[in-house]
Amino acid sequence: MDSASSDRTAPEQHLAPTVARSVKVLVVGAFGVGKTTLIGAVSEIDPLRTEERITTASVGIDPGQPNKETTTVAMDFGRITVTDEIALYLFGTPGQRRFWDLWAGLADGAVGALVMIDTRNLEDSFEVLDQLELRTKIPFAVVVNQFPDSPSYPLERVRAALDLLPETPIVECDARDRPSSVLTLITLVEHAMTFPVFQKVNA
């Protein structure tokens, strides 16, 4: 699947008239893995963000992370046209455990989920994958977000550590980089197209 907009530099607010399918996709992951960053990097519209400043009230409830001053409390939203005919509507979920009950509602009508992971905190991804399978039952692809100080592992080693099925896609990206992030979304859509849920939503 070739991207029709991966090189687009200016935000495009209006949906192209050639678009025949609008596809809902979740972007999920643990706290601080880069979900807001990825959606902001790829969105061709001004992304909707529901961020609040992290305060002392979250101490002992949410995981701490150095240099992170805000957190998503409802969802992030963006849109990207990946081919002349397909536009993705991206819904980013909050990463904190206390917001996991929102996932089922956000997943309604979605054809798949992009699961972002951080190899610095790989153990947090186990709970995310468990919750995704428990609450949504939708196909997913895994993306390793490459932070500057993240340890680098072969993707097949990460696959084994996460106990992923052989057919589950796993790729790497830098969530700050638009072309890299767009390719991860295309990987997810190509995977989702092999599932009945894609045909049902787009019938």
Side-chain angles (χ1 to χ4, degrees), residues 27-35 37-38 63-68 95 114-129 141-155 158-159 161-162 164 170-175:
V27 181
V28 307
F31 180 76
V33 296
K35 302 179 293 294
T37 300
L38 183 141
Q65 192 169 91
N67 303 318
K68 185 171 175 61
L114 189 68
V115 182
M116 300 188 67
I117 68 169
D118 178 357
T119 56
R120 298 173 302 179
N121 301 293
L122 193 60
E123 63 279 3
D124 293 341
S125 301
F126 292 103
E127 289 185 310
V128 170
L129 291 168
V142 173
V143 54
V144 179
N145 189 13
Q146 297 173 314
F147 290 89
D149 59 341
S150 296
S152 180
Y153 302 108
L155 289 180
V158 178
R159 176 190 297 279
L162 295 175
L164 300 177
I170 180 169
V171 294
E172 294 175 319
C173 85
D174 180 341

Side-chain angles (χ1 to χ4, degrees), residues 67-85:
N67 303 318
K68 185 171 175 61
E69 298 180 350
T70 62
T71 184
T72 300
V73 296
M75 70 173 187
D76 296 313
F77 175 78
R79 188 192 75 205
I80 176 172
T81 306
V82 292
T83 74
D84 289 339
E85 297 182 348

Side-chain angles (χ1 to χ4, degrees), residues 8-110:
R8 189 174 293 168
T9 56
E12 176 57 60
Q13 302 296 324
H14 301 289
L15 196 62
T18 57
V19 171
R21 287 184 171 183
S22 297
V23 178
K24 181 179 181 181
V25 167
L26 293 189
V27 181
V28 307
F31 180 76
V33 296
K35 302 179 293 294
T36 299
T37 300
L38 183 141
I39 291 175
V42 303
S43 182
E44 62 198 12
I45 61 174
D46 293 331
L48 169 66
R49 293 176 173 146
T50 56
E51 290 192 304
E52 297 290 344
R53 291 188 63 82
I54 297 173
T55 68
T56 55
S58 67
V59 174
I61 299 174
D62 297 332
Q65 192 169 91
N67 303 318
K68 185 171 175 61
E69 298 180 350
T70 62
T71 184
T72 300
V73 296
M75 70 173 187
D76 296 313
F77 175 78
R79 188 192 75 205
I80 176 172
T81 306
V82 292
T83 74
D84 289 339
E85 297 182 348
I86 299 178
L88 305 184
Y89 288 86
L90 310 175
F91 290 76
T93 64
Q96 303 96 313
R97 292 179 182 88
R98 58 194 170 106
F99 294 122
W100 281 353
D101 287 341
L102 297 174
W103 287 22
L106 289 174
D108 186 30

